[in-house]
Amino acid sequence: MKIVIDMMGSDNGLAATVPAVLEFRANHPNVELFCVGKIDEMLDLEGHAHLIEAPEIVPQDAGVLEVLRLKNSSMLVAINTLLAEKADAIVSAGSTGGFLSATTLKIKLIPGVERAAIMAPFPTVIPGKKVAVLDIGASNENTADQLIQFAKMGQIYAEKVFGVNEPQVYLLSNGAEENKGTPEIVEANKRLREMEFPGFKGNIEAREALNGEVDVLVSGGFAGNVFLKSSEGIAKMMGSGLKKVFTKSLKTKIGYLFVRKGLKGMMADFDYKATGGAMLLGINSVAVKAHGNSDVKTFVGALEVAYKMAEQDVVAKIKEGFANEAHS
Amino acid sequence: MKIVIDMMGSDNGLAATVPAVLEFRANHPNVELFCVGKIDEMLDLEGHAHLIEAPEIVPQDAGVLEVLRLKNSSMLVAINTLLAEKADAIVSAGSTGGFLSATTLKIKLIPGVERAAIMAPFPTVIPGKKVAVLDIGASNENTADQLIQFAKMGQIYAEKVFGVNEPQVYLLSNGAEENKGTPEIVEANKRLREMEFPGFKGNIEAREALNGEVDVLVSGGFAGNVFLKSSEGIAKMMGSGLKKVFTKSLKTKIGYLFVRKGLKGMMADFDYKATGGAMLLGINSVAVKAHGNSDVKTFVGALEVAYKMAEQDVVAKIKEGFANEAHS
């Protein structure tokens, strides 16, 4: 297996990615790694990975054209390395928009896929259980066709990476009834029912989506982004509220000592950084977008997800799914 | 001042609304109250309110036609009473969809308003400070025109009810940049800037929307609904997570005693029920939709909001705002 890593572009830069690669390497000695960035800051990786020089960083808000123009950027060089080496996966902590544009244009979409989707695993009320939410922001608007494609890609991901037998698939809407939602959602709901899509359970409201019954939550990109960011926002707000409560006085600080362990465990369950990042689904390669503010642990998580997706042949499975559709 | 109250239709029925009316009445002896429901279950209110018989309840999932057909429903009789008495406000804990349809059709929209918006006040990181979020679900899709109208109605509400001097108005989007979002949001952003809408600050992401800087958050109804329900969902999830942490052992139960007060205060800040309900803005009357699972305290909150909106003449102010626009 070959994995290409864009080592630059995260807030913490090589200080986070270099130790993460070493840790990942220790767990997976047989994976061939290609690390792209400033070589003189990656010397610790000599003997563990191929080091490829690319000193520039794609800015966070870069448009498509700007990304493609930055030929010496670690992101573009990483993508070119993936193509040249026929590597299995690419991981980057750089600009999400840039990574999405550049992978879509250079690695291309899987035949039959109209739009790539950004997918993120969310925590649920059941500790350890995740739900695959897509799209969380690759598109602003999505047709019913595209929503159905997201359902299919999410289903394959949940099966192969979460290891769920028949993933339960829902559409995010403003009511559970089949006539609720935008015209695209109503149409997608109707067609998923008509085609007897395996595991399709209908619409679900955002309030219920993390109740542990859902394996795949399908949404248009705009609403999915709102779902992601409002969940993150409230979790963060409650986290800082709790901190205030526990640091208020000596008494509350003592109280903290009694519940520290459980509290840390709970906050870890709600830590969106813990899953490593978001996956671009629909691209002709495993492509993992690590969090922009990745620390070592988060970046290791992103590498592990890429490894698992490559090992489980998720891209080939998505290709098969869409090839079958073209023939039916 | 006259307030009409649909006493039926909440999950807790008259057991919640009757004591709530008595409590509200004690605080506002000069308000004339019209209570609509089963008279024989409202006898405690004799001498405090006009009692009007209407034994039927509009089902939660009632469509427009069904609501209008239920001529003996407490909701429809309440609306007719409002019209007959030229009352200032109506409060109901019944079906949201039914209340929206029936008020729009019978009380009518304010001239110039294309669509009513459902508005809910959200908690922010600043204790006590609220943000008016609209629309949270009256529509599925909204044009740029409608978003601008929501901005105007939200601005008036924040000024008159929150008492904020120049409310800071933002559009909910998937990025702060002015080119981010659906075509409708990009267009609304452009036009609000061009017209130099007072207090308009541009786009904001869901993650930042509760940071205390925002007074009015404008959104299309579908995304607004996702924002509301994902926030509620995460808050509830974290609440039950905390409960598990604190009830795990004798030790954690002791820990709870040390922080009980602060913790209760924090959870109360995140309690969406505390604000009483949602307001229908754009209708020719103050119309407050109390939570379906209202308890006494929540229903009193809904009555207090209706009182404040009527006292501050919010509907007349919105009318003025839209009349000025028609002439300009």
Side-chain angles (χ1 to χ4, degrees), chain A residues 39-275:
Chain A
I39 287 185
D40 57 2
E41 294 179 31
M42 303 195 292
L43 296 178
D44 287 355
L45 297 175
E46 268 184 327
H48 299 289
H50 306 278
L51 304 187
I52 297 162
E53 178 71 12
E56 286 174 29
I57 293 173
V58 171
Q60 276 300 324
D61 57 350
V64 186
L65 292 177
E66 192 177 354
V67 176
L68 296 181
R69 233 183 279 125
L70 288 168
K71 299 222 181 287
N72 288 322
S73 70
S74 56
M75 190 185 278
L76 216 62
V77 172
I79 290 173
N80 287 333
T81 304
L82 175 102
L83 294 169
E85 294 287 341
K86 295 189 170 49
D88 302 281
I90 182 166
V91 177
S92 172
S95 150
T96 306
F99 194 51
L100 177 70
S101 311
T103 51
T104 304
L105 285 167
K106 303 213 51 144
I107 311 180
K108 310 279 189 221
L109 294 174
I110 290 169
V113 174
E114 285 181 29
R115 293 270 185 99
I118 306 180
M119 191 283 289
F122 275 58
T124 72
V125 290
I126 301 173
K129 165 136 195 173
K130 302 279 180 203
V131 45
V133 184
L134 75 170
D135 173 34
I136 56 161
S139 305
N140 273 321
E141 299 182 295
N142 295 100
T143 63
D145 266 335
Q146 289 163 3
L147 294 172
I148 293 167
Q149 296 190 349
F150 296 168
K152 191 177 278 187
M153 296 194 290
Q155 178 200 40
I156 292 167
Y157 186 91
E159 249 178 48
K160 298 299 168 191
V161 180
F162 295 159
V164 177
N165 207 348
E166 184 175 274
Q168 306 290 290
V169 178
Y170 289 82
L171 284 165
L172 178 64
S173 193
N174 54 355
E177 304 86 353
E178 58 196 34
N179 63 339
K180 283 293 177 75
T182 61
E184 296 76 31
I185 288 166
V186 174
E187 170 73 13
N189 183 309
K190 181 167 164 272
R191 287 178 42 204
L192 286 163
R193 277 181 287 123
E194 283 170 359
M195 69 173 73
E196 294 176 9
F197 188 95
F200 178 62
K201 296 290 167 188
N203 289 348
I204 194 162
E205 292 189 277
R207 188 166 23 207
E208 309 296 333
L210 307 179
N211 66 4
E213 282 167 32
V214 186
D215 297 302
V216 179
L217 183 68
V218 174
S219 172
F222 188 81
N225 194 266
V226 168
F227 179 70
L228 169 75
K229 288 178 185 159
S230 48
S231 303
E232 280 183 352
I234 291 281
K236 197 176 146 198
M237 224 171 115
M238 294 192 83
S240 57
L242 278 177
K243 199 172 170 185
K244 258 188 222 156
V245 167
F246 282 108
T247 54
K248 202 177 176 193
S249 66
L250 182 61
K251 189 178 150 195
T252 61
K253 283 176 191 166
I254 294 168
Y256 176 69
L257 300 178
F258 286 81
V259 291
R260 181 168 47 182
K261 200 181 145 200
L263 211 58
K264 280 192 172 169
M266 189 195 97
M267 293 312 286
D269 286 342
F270 283 94
D271 182 2
Y272 287 79
K273 280 175 72 182
T275 52

Side-chain angles (χ1 to χ4, degrees), chain B residues 89-147:
Chain B
I90 181 167
V91 177
S92 172
S95 151
T96 305
F99 193 50
L100 177 70
S101 309
T103 52
T104 303
L105 284 167
K106 302 211 55 142
I107 310 179
K108 310 277 190 227
L109 294 174
I110 289 169
V113 174
E114 284 181 29
R115 293 271 184 99
I118 306 179
M119 192 283 289
F122 275 57
T124 71
V125 289
I126 300 172
K129 163 135 197 174
K130 302 278 180 201
V131 44
V133 184
L134 75 169
D135 171 36
I136 56 161
S139 304
N140 273 321
E141 298 183 295
N142 295 100
T143 63
D145 266 335
Q146 289 163 3
L147 294 172

Side-chain angles (χ1 to χ4, degrees), chain B residues 67 75 86 104-105 148 192 244 253 261:
Chain B
V67 177
M75 189 184 280
K86 296 190 170 48
T104 303
L105 284 167
I148 293 167
L192 286 163
K244 258 188 223 157
K253 283 176 191 165
K261 200 180 147 200

Side-chain angles (χ1 to χ4, degrees), chain B residues 226-237:
Chain B
V226 168
F227 180 70
L228 169 75
K229 288 179 184 158
S230 48
S231 302
E232 280 183 353
I234 290 282
K236 198 176 145 200
M237 225 171 113

Side-chain angles (χ1 to χ4, degrees), chain B residues 10-315:
Chain B
S10 88
D11 299 346
N12 302 311
L14 294 154
T17 53
V18 169
V21 169
L22 284 172
E23 191 177 327
F24 175 81
R25 174 75 178 164
N27 299 331
H28 305 283
N30 295 326
V31 178
E32 202 175 342
L33 299 173
F34 298 80
C35 294
V36 184
K38 288 183 186 163
I39 287 186
D40 57 2
E41 295 179 28
M42 304 194 292
L43 296 177
D44 287 353
L45 297 175
E46 268 184 327
H48 299 287
H50 305 279
L51 304 186
I52 297 162
E53 178 71 9
E56 286 174 29
I57 294 173
V58 171
Q60 275 301 325
D61 57 350
V64 186
L65 293 177
E66 192 177 356
V67 177
L68 295 180
R69 233 182 279 124
L70 288 169
K71 299 223 181 285
N72 289 322
S73 70
S74 55
M75 189 184 280
L76 216 62
V77 173
I79 289 173
N80 288 330
T81 304
L82 175 102
L83 293 169
E85 294 287 342
K86 296 190 170 48
D88 302 280
I90 181 167
V91 177
S92 172
S95 151
T96 305
F99 193 50
L100 177 70
S101 309
T103 52
T104 303
L105 284 167
K106 302 211 55 142
I107 310 179
K108 310 277 190 227
L109 294 174
I110 289 169
V113 174
E114 284 181 29
R115 293 271 184 99
I118 306 179
M119 192 283 289
F122 275 57
T124 71
V125 289
I126 300 172
K129 163 135 197 174
K130 302 278 180 201
V131 44
V133 184
L134 75 169
D135 171 36
I136 56 161
S139 304
N140 273 321
E141 298 183 295
N142 295 100
T143 63
D145 266 335
Q146 289 163 3
L147 294 172
I148 293 167
Q149 296 190 349
F150 296 167
K152 189 176 278 186
M153 297 195 290
Q155 180 199 38
I156 293 167
Y157 186 92
E159 247 177 52
K160 298 299 167 192
V161 180
F162 294 159
V164 177
N165 208 349
E166 183 176 275
Q168 306 290 290
V169 179
Y170 288 82
L171 285 164
L172 178 64
S173 193
N174 55 355
E177 304 85 354
E178 59 197 36
N179 62 340
K180 282 292 175 78
T182 61
E184 296 76 29
I185 288 166
V186 174
E187 170 75 13
N189 183 308
K190 181 167 164 272
R191 286 177 45 204
L192 286 163
R193 277 181 288 125
E194 283 170 359
M195 70 173 72
E196 294 176 10
F197 189 94
F200 178 61
K201 295 291 167 188
N203 289 347
I204 195 163
E205 293 189 278
R207 189 168 19 207
E208 311 296 332
L210 307 178
N211 66 3
E213 284 166 32
V214 186
D215 297 303
V216 179
L217 182 69
V218 174
S219 172
F222 189 81
N225 194 267
V226 168
F227 180 70
L228 169 75
K229 288 179 184 158
S230 48
S231 302
E232 280 183 353
I234 290 282
K236 198 176 145 200
M237 225 171 113
M238 292 192 84
S240 59
L242 278 176
K243 199 172 170 185
K244 258 188 223 157
V245 166
F246 283 109
T247 54
K248 202 177 175 195
S249 67
L250 182 60
K251 190 178 150 195
T252 61
K253 283 176 191 165
I254 294 169
Y256 176 69
L257 299 178
F258 285 81
V259 291
R260 180 169 48 186
K261 200 180 147 200
L263 210 59
K264 279 190 171 170
M266 188 194 97
M267 293 312 288
D269 287 339
F270 283 95
D271 184 2
Y272 288 79
K273 281 175 72 179
T275 52
M279 307 0 141
L280 306 191
L281 296 184
I283 307 263
N284 250 316
S285 164
V286 171
V288 176
K289 166 63 185 76
H291 286 280
N293 57 355
S294 284
D295 53 22
V296 176
K297 187 182 147 215
T298 319
F299 204 73
V300 171
L303 294 169
E304 290 289 354
V305 171
Y307 176 82
K308 180 137 196 196
M309 284 179 75
E311 189 195 29
Q312 292 289 321
D313 244 349
V314 171
V315 172

